[in-house]
Amino acid sequence: MITLRDMNEEEFESYRSLFINEYAQDLQRNREYRPEKARAKAIESIDAVLTKGVATPANQLWCIQQLDEPEEIIGILWLSLTGSSAWISDFYIYPDWRSRGFGGLALNVMKTVLKEMGINDVGLRVAPNNASAKALYHNNGFHITGINMTQNLN
């Protein structure tokens, strides 16, 4: 069984570092950014939105845990909330916990909690080279509504 609990400030600082590293790698792979530009963009991406850390309005940061192992965080879920809609800004299952069904379980708990909050729909973006994430989302009821495209002008 999976639970979502509010992230605390100490956990946020660790998560911020993880986000910056992971997103910078994503920008290098998928947008062909140079490492220094990718890192700067990743820092800007999180700091511009989560200006007050875990207390930033219209954002929800959850730690994903197993009920029978509450001391261990197995993943992170960051949602941006607008009216009755949610956007998954980041969903990360730590490598040791991947391919064991925890991603799907976490998404199901998230959907239940969002319904209780009055949220009617949830969206996300997934990198084109992330086949396992695309399969996870598809298998959990998400469908493609468009394709993001970009061109690097530098």
Side-chain angles (χ1 to χ4, degrees), residues 91-108:
F91 178 44
Y92 187 85
I93 299 293
Y94 289 101
D96 288 347
W97 297 95
R98 292 181 187 160
S99 300
R100 295 168 57 187
F102 293 113
L105 292 171
L107 288 173
N108 286 331

Side-chain angles (χ1 to χ4, degrees), residues 2-137:
I2 294 294
T3 188
L4 304 175
R5 70 156 176 80
D6 292 342
M7 183 183 291
N8 65 41
E9 283 296 333
E10 182 179 324
E11 292 162 338
F12 175 73
E13 289 307 317
S14 294
Y15 167 65
R16 182 181 175 277
S17 295
L18 172 74
F19 175 89
I20 291 167
N21 291 331
E22 291 289 320
Y23 190 43
Q25 289 176 22
D26 177 61
L27 291 170
Q28 289 175 64
R29 279 190 307 268
N30 294 302
R31 295 196 182 184
E32 300 176 354
Y33 280 23
R34 294 180 321 279
E36 57 279 353
K37 180 179 179 182
R39 182 164 177 76
K41 178 67 172 172
I43 291 168
E44 176 188 338
S45 294
I46 194 166
D47 290 351
V49 175
L50 296 175
T51 57
K52 296 182 180 179
V54 297
T56 303
N59 286 271
Q60 179 65 56
L61 290 152
W62 283 317
C63 293
I64 304 166
Q65 296 177 296
Q66 291 186 85
L67 285 176
D68 58 348
E69 293 187 41
E71 67 284 347
E72 187 160 13
I73 298 170
I74 66 170
I76 302 294
L77 186 54
W78 168 18
L79 299 174
S80 299
L81 307 170
T82 306
S84 63
S85 296
W87 181 263
I88 299 174
S89 297
D90 195 21
F91 178 44
Y92 187 85
I93 299 293
Y94 289 101
D96 288 347
W97 297 95
R98 292 181 187 160
S99 300
R100 295 168 57 187
F102 293 113
L105 292 171
L107 288 173
N108 286 331
V109 172
M110 176 203 69
K111 289 186 273 188
T112 299
V113 172
L114 291 177
K115 287 178 190 175
E116 292 169 359
M117 294 169 61
I119 301 296
N120 296 322
D121 58 82
V122 59
L124 58 89
R125 178 200 168 271
V126 63
N129 64 337
N130 195 339
S132 60
K134 289 192 286 188
L136 171 68
Y137 297 131

